[in-house]
Amino acid sequence: MGGGGDGGGAAPAPKQEELTAHPVKDQLPNVSYCITSPPPWPEAILLGFQHYLVMLGTTVIIPTALVPQMGGNNEDKAKVVQTVLLVSGINTLLQSFCGTRLPAVIGGSYTFVMPTISIILAGRYSNIADPHEKFLRIMRGTQGALIVASTLQIILGFSGLWRIVVRILSPLSAAPLVALAGFGLYELGFPTVAKCIEIGLPQIILLVVLTQYLPHKVHLAKTMLERFGLVIAVAVVWLYAFFLTVGGAYKNSPIKTQLHCRTDRSGLVGGAPWISVPYPFQWGAPTFNAGEAFAMMAASFVALVESTGTFFAVSRFASATPLPPSVLSRGVGWQGVGILLDGLFGTANGSTVSVENAGLLGLTRVGSRRVIQISAGFMIFFSILGKFGAVFASIPAPIVAALFCILFAYVGSAGLSYLQFCNLNSFRTKFILGFSVFMGFSVPQYFNEYTSVAGYGPVHTSGQWFNDIVNVIFSSKPFVAGLVAYTLDNTILRHEARKDRGYHFWERFRSFKSDTRSEEFYSLPFNLDKYFPSF
């Protein structure tokens, strides 16, 4: 017998089932409410409000960064935030009824910030003396660029071209893309928390304690803490920040600290009207510039790839089966319509799937479509009642960043979960996975570092639009990781390594009809599938 040692106190051989690995799951187990099963109405409304609170972070951060550079004041900023809210609400409803039908919130996107800044710095606006006139002219410039850029996603989505691209995506090439859609946003996490550590750090600790530790200790409040821990934690820390502000803790602090820590420094409540309805062309007629439109198109393409990754994470957390390519393509087409609405209304920003809301599906374990539709109702409601919406929108940035630390991490982990379909003992898998993730972090790091030092990207030719296109594309971590993984996975021993890359697991989800569950999760309402079939 293969023994050795003294043979006396040898441990008994482990049972066979203890040694088997965890079984592979097409759908995520232990989800309280999946995509088609709504929670009771009171719970659904509170969960919807929680999603609204979470999407406010990005909705406020982007206009706060862009509007002052455009020459706008607090009133303009409040109006832009209201417009983003209204358009996000409409886009979320369109996506959940007509698009992928996933519980995905469609909100602002950081990908479009770089081409927007490029428009802000364009020479033709530099000699306008009146700041408000300058703001309006730049806003119309961004509207024109967004309207043109939306055509890219509309054509790729509705023509079914994106379906062809996604059809050869395997779990191995999806993993780096989805993982970096979450992990790649690390710069928006702790660096912002640290700007006001006395409110940011308690927020992280409280959220972890309320959602991960307490539910196992206090069984009576288990469900409440798991589902509403986030809104409780935000309320407690926001109140604490309010007391610090009122108590004069920041009276003699530098202006920068006051901006990050105080609860009354966003300028949104004062700038917002009581009631106002954003409408198309509210800033005037859009203006068009070919170079800027090309740069915005590049951002639109990057956003399309990033949202493909986030859609996969959402389908996982909603306990749905992997997205059939035709359904994803349909969703991309509607996302293009969303960017068109951004251009018509004037949000100074494009739309994409909200990563933080995808993470919230994981935190609450509720992936219900109805909850997201309710949250869209909150977005539209508060976009019209300006003052009330502005109160929630004035939550200090470090509190929001603390939430991002946990929510983005959930989306990253959804990407890692696709590795269960792959053979991790294959050297081919190790190379593709490791190299794509490494390059996904390393290439954008170089582009961003270069830009922050030099003030312009590494590609610096006389054609500004060409510079923008290359710099936008290679500054996106999920895009670079996804591109590298997709290319290598489909060119190195593609057929020989079918099982290693997990391709055979997704075989039955490649067409809409080949798995009965696809119809349950992704078919259109009101029998519309008759007129808009999915292949």
Side-chain angles (χ1 to χ4, degrees):
M1 303 295 284
D6 54 22
K15 294 191 190 77
Q16 194 51 45
E17 67 261 21
E18 283 177 13
L19 291 177
T20 52
H22 297 287
V24 168
K25 303 274 191 199
D26 290 329
Q27 294 173 257
L28 186 66
N30 303 324
V31 170
S32 308
Y33 294 98
C34 77
I35 182 168
T36 49
S37 60
W41 277 104
E43 205 170 308
I45 290 169
L46 198 51
L47 283 162
F49 180 71
Q50 195 166 245
H51 272 279
Y52 160 72
L53 261 191
V54 163
M55 68 79 63
L56 271 179
T58 302
T59 305
V60 174
I61 289 168
I62 296 174
T64 301
L66 293 176
V67 172
Q69 293 184 56
M70 293 161 75
N73 54 22
N74 279 344
E75 279 81 20
D76 297 323
K77 184 167 78 174
K79 199 172 173 186
V80 173
V81 169
Q82 277 180 270
T83 309
V84 175
L85 266 181
L86 178 74
V87 176
S88 297
I90 296 169
N91 288 341
T92 302
L93 287 175
L94 285 174
Q95 191 61 248
S96 71
F97 279 112
C98 315
T100 54
R101 308 227 60 214
L102 284 169
V105 169
I106 308 295
S109 165
Y110 296 99
T111 311
F112 292 89
V113 169
M114 197 184 290
T116 307
I117 288 177
S118 180
I119 294 174
I120 291 170
L121 300 175
R124 63 178 187 282
Y125 302 120
S126 55
N127 53 6
I128 302 171
D130 177 29
H132 188 67
E133 180 58 28
K134 186 179 180 181
F135 166 75
L136 290 175
R137 295 276 285 279
I138 293 174
M139 179 59 92
R140 287 176 215 155
T142 62
Q143 284 182 263
L146 282 166
I147 290 169
V148 177
S150 68
T151 56
L152 179 88
Q153 290 196 19
I154 292 173
I155 292 167
L156 281 177
F158 290 137
S159 67
L161 285 169
W162 194 243
R163 183 179 76 215
I164 300 164
V165 175
V166 180
R167 204 154 258 172
I168 54 172
L169 189 74
S170 73
L172 178 56
S173 43
L177 168 65
V178 182
L180 267 70
F183 295 144
L185 296 166
Y186 63 86
E187 289 158 357
L188 300 169
F190 202 79
T192 309
V193 169
K195 285 178 179 166
C196 189
I197 200 81
E198 61 268 34
I199 60 174
L201 196 57
Q203 181 67 67
I204 295 181
I205 296 167
L206 187 61
L207 188 54
V208 171
V209 169
L210 284 179
T211 57
Q212 307 302 322
Y213 286 96
L214 273 186
H216 308 296
K217 298 278 181 270
V218 189
H219 292 293
L220 283 173
K222 186 176 191 298
T223 355
M224 190 188 79
L225 290 169
E226 275 178 352
R227 282 179 209 159
F228 307 112
L230 182 133
V231 84
I232 298 167
V234 169
V236 170
V237 178
W238 194 14
L239 196 64
Y240 159 65
F242 173 73
F243 284 135
L244 284 179
T245 305
V246 175
Y250 304 113
K251 210 167 260 172
N252 306 316
S253 303
I255 296 294
K256 233 176 185 171
T257 311
Q258 294 200 25
L259 263 178
H260 294 298
C261 299
R262 290 182 71 108
T263 52
D264 57 0
R265 276 288 179 270
S266 68
L268 288 172
V269 182
W274 281 103
I275 291 182
S276 87
V277 181
Y279 54 94
F281 309 120
Q282 54 187 350
W283 314 104
T287 57
F288 296 91
N289 174 291
E292 287 164 9
F294 279 122
M296 205 59 101
M297 263 187 168
S300 177
F301 184 62
V302 171
L304 155 62
V305 174
E306 291 178 354
S307 55
T308 298
T310 318
F311 272 136
F312 272 103
V314 171
S315 71
R316 189 85 192 140
F317 285 135
S319 193
T321 49
L323 273 165
S326 57
V327 172
L328 182 62
S329 201
R330 185 175 76 199
V332 163
W334 280 103
Q335 193 170 276
V337 172
I339 295 173
L340 176 63
L341 290 176
D342 285 323
L344 296 176
F345 278 84
T347 61
N349 190 248
S351 288
T352 185
V353 186
S354 161
V355 180
E356 53 271 38
N357 289 86
L360 185 58
L361 298 175
L363 182 71
T364 56
R365 299 185 199 179
V366 176
S368 160
R369 190 186 291 140
R370 180 179 293 168
V371 166
I372 297 304
Q373 289 165 344
I374 291 170
S375 84
F378 275 116
M379 293 171 214
I380 295 169
F381 177 73
F382 282 118
S383 71
I384 295 167
L385 292 176
K387 279 266 192 272
F388 293 103
V391 170
F392 295 113
S394 61
I395 295 174
I399 293 183
V400 175
L403 305 182
F404 286 173
C405 290
I406 288 160
L407 301 176
F408 292 160
Y410 262 107
V411 175
S413 70
L416 298 181
S417 73
Y418 285 118
L419 296 173
Q420 64 181 310
F421 303 108
C422 310
N423 176 8
L424 289 173
N425 292 322
S426 141
F427 277 101
R428 175 188 180 277
T429 307
K430 288 184 187 303
F431 166 67
I432 293 173
L433 177 64
F435 185 61
S436 59
V437 170
F438 184 86
M439 293 309 276
F441 280 120
S442 196
V443 173
Q445 174 66 19
Y446 164 67
F447 271 76
N448 295 338
E449 216 167 84
Y450 191 102
T451 308
S452 66
V453 173
Y456 48 81
V459 180
H460 191 57
T461 63
S462 57
Q464 184 58 42
W465 62 274
F466 176 74
N467 305 342
D468 286 342
I469 287 175
V470 181
N471 293 332
V472 163
I473 286 176
F474 291 105
S475 296
S476 163
K477 299 172 185 74
F479 184 88
V480 174
L483 180 70
V484 172
Y486 185 83
T487 309
L488 296 175
D489 191 34
N490 286 304
T491 49
I492 302 174
L493 298 171
R494 184 182 159 194
H495 297 293
E496 294 86 332
R498 244 178 116 257
K499 283 200 155 172
D500 284 355
R501 52 203 281 251
Y503 194 81
H504 60 301
F505 274 112
W506 281 7
E507 200 70 76
R508 64 179 181 283
F509 305 114
R510 303 227 172 266
S511 96
F512 185 74
K513 296 276 186 282
S514 50
D515 191 286
T516 50
R517 292 171 293 177
S518 294
E519 198 150 325
E520 181 197 339
F521 297 136
Y522 301 117
S523 60
L524 291 169
F526 317 120
N527 279 346
L528 285 172
D529 283 305
K530 268 193 218 157
Y531 310 102
F532 305 103
S534 298
F535 304 106

